C-alpha cells in the first residue's frame, strides 16, 4: 500500500489497514466499469459517501458507528476492485470469503464489529440500492423503468434529495478521509 503497509490478502489483520490507503484506492476504482457519463469516473469512494448520506437521511437517529459502517460498506474494493454481481457469482465462494476477511479486518481496525448485525446490513443495503438506482438513471444510461426493475422502485421525492457528483480522485479522497475522521471523532 502507499502508506507502506503490507496487506496480506489471505490473512489480513486490522493493523494492515489505513484509511488513507482505503480512500486512495476507492477514489480510483470506477463504478459501472467506468461506463458512466462525465469527465471523471464515478468512483467507489464517491458512491460510499453517497450511501452514507442516504443511510443517514433514512435513519437520522443512527449513531456514528452505524454511519461509519455505511461509509465503509465497499471498503474491501480498495484492493479487490468493484466487480459487477454476475462476475462475483462466476468467481464463486472464494470471492465472498476474501471480501468477508477484508471486511472483518477493516471493521476491527476502526472500532466496528467484524460482522455487522443483520438489521444494520439490511439498512445499509437499502441505501446502497437507492444509490445504485440514482447512479443507473443519472449517469449510467438506464431508464427509470429499468432501474426500478433492477434495484426496486424508488420514491421520486427521495431521489430528488440526492446528487450524483463526479469529481477528481484527489477531491473525493480528501472528502472520504475527512468524513471518516468526523465519524471516528463522534464515537
Amino acid at each position: 500500500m502507499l502508506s507502506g503497509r503490507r496487506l496480506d490478502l489471505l490473512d489480513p489483520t486490522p493493523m494492515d489497514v489505513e484509511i488513507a490507503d482505503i480512500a486512495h484506492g476507492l477514489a480510483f476504482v470506477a463504478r459501472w466499469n467506468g461506463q458512466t457519463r462525465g469527465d471523471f469516473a464515478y468512483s467507489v469512494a464517491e458512491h460510499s459517501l453517497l450511501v452514507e448520506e442516504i443511510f443517514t437521511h433514512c435513519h437520522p437517529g443512527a449513531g456514528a458507528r452505524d454511519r461509519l459502517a455505511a461509509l465503509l460498506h465497499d471498503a474491501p474494493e480498495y484492493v479487490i476492485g468493484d466487480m459487477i454481481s454476475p462476475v462475483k457469482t462466476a468467481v464463486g465462494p472464494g470471492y465472498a470469503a476474501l471480501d468477508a476477511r477484508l471486511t472483518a479486518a477493516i471493521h476491527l481496525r476502526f472500532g466496528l464489529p467484524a460482522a455487522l448485525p443483520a438489521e444494520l446490513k439490511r439498512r445499509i443495503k437499502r441505501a446502497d440500492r437507492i444509490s445504485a438506482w440514482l447512479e443507473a438513471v443519472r449517469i449510467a444510461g438506464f431508464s427509470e423503468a429499468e432501474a426500478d426493475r433492477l434495484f426496486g422502485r424508488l420514491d421520486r421525492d427521495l431521489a430528488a434529495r440526492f446528487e450524483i457528483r463526479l469529481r477528481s480522485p484527489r477531491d473525493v479522497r480528501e472528502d472520504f478521509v475527512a468524513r471518516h475522521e468526523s465519524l471516528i471523532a463522534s464515537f
Side-chain angles (χ1 to χ4, degrees):
M1 300 294 117
L2 288 176
S3 66
R5 297 278 186 191
R6 298 293 179 245
L7 179 68
D8 180 347
L9 287 176
L10 300 179
D11 187 24
T13 69
M15 294 313 298
D16 296 332
V17 177
E18 291 294 337
I19 195 61
D21 294 329
I22 293 171
H24 182 81
L26 294 182
F28 282 94
V29 174
R31 296 260 303 161
W32 304 93
N33 290 328
Q35 298 300 306
T36 55
R37 297 180 184 107
D39 294 330
F40 292 105
Y42 187 71
S43 73
V44 175
E46 193 74 73
H47 162 77
S48 297
L49 287 162
L50 180 59
V51 168
E52 191 266 331
E53 180 184 355
I54 293 167
F55 176 84
T56 299
H57 173 80
C58 293
H59 306 284
R65 281 187 168 81
D66 290 355
R67 294 191 319 265
L68 180 61
L71 180 69
L72 296 174
H73 79 283
D74 280 339
E77 294 178 9
Y78 87 105
V79 290
I80 59 178
D82 181 36
M83 286 191 246
I84 58 175
S85 294
V87 173
K88 289 178 186 176
T89 301
V91 170
Y95 178 87
L98 174 60
D99 185 80
R101 284 192 303 273
L102 286 166
T103 296
I106 292 164
H107 283 181
L108 292 172
R109 171 67 171 91
F110 300 115
L112 300 173
L116 298 177
E119 179 61 19
L120 177 56
K121 284 181 74 168
R122 186 191 66 73
R123 289 177 177 181
I124 293 169
K125 187 62 179 173
R126 178 174 179 256
D128 191 31
R129 291 180 68 80
I130 292 169
S131 180
W133 189 98
L134 294 168
E135 296 163 24
V137 169
R138 294 185 183 165
I139 60 173
F142 288 61
S143 70
E144 289 187 5
E146 289 172 311
D148 285 348
R149 207 169 39 256
L150 292 168
F151 306 109
R153 183 159 175 73
L154 183 61
D155 177 297
R156 300 321 191 245
D157 289 335
L158 180 63
R161 294 178 178 271
F162 302 103
E163 177 184 352
I164 299 292
R165 298 171 62 181
L166 300 170
R167 303 181 293 155
S168 74
R170 179 185 53 112
D171 291 343
V172 177
R173 179 182 61 223
E174 289 172 0
D175 283 357
F176 189 94
V177 169
R179 186 64 187 141
H180 173 267
E181 289 173 355
S182 172
L183 291 168
I184 289 287
S186 298
F187 281 16

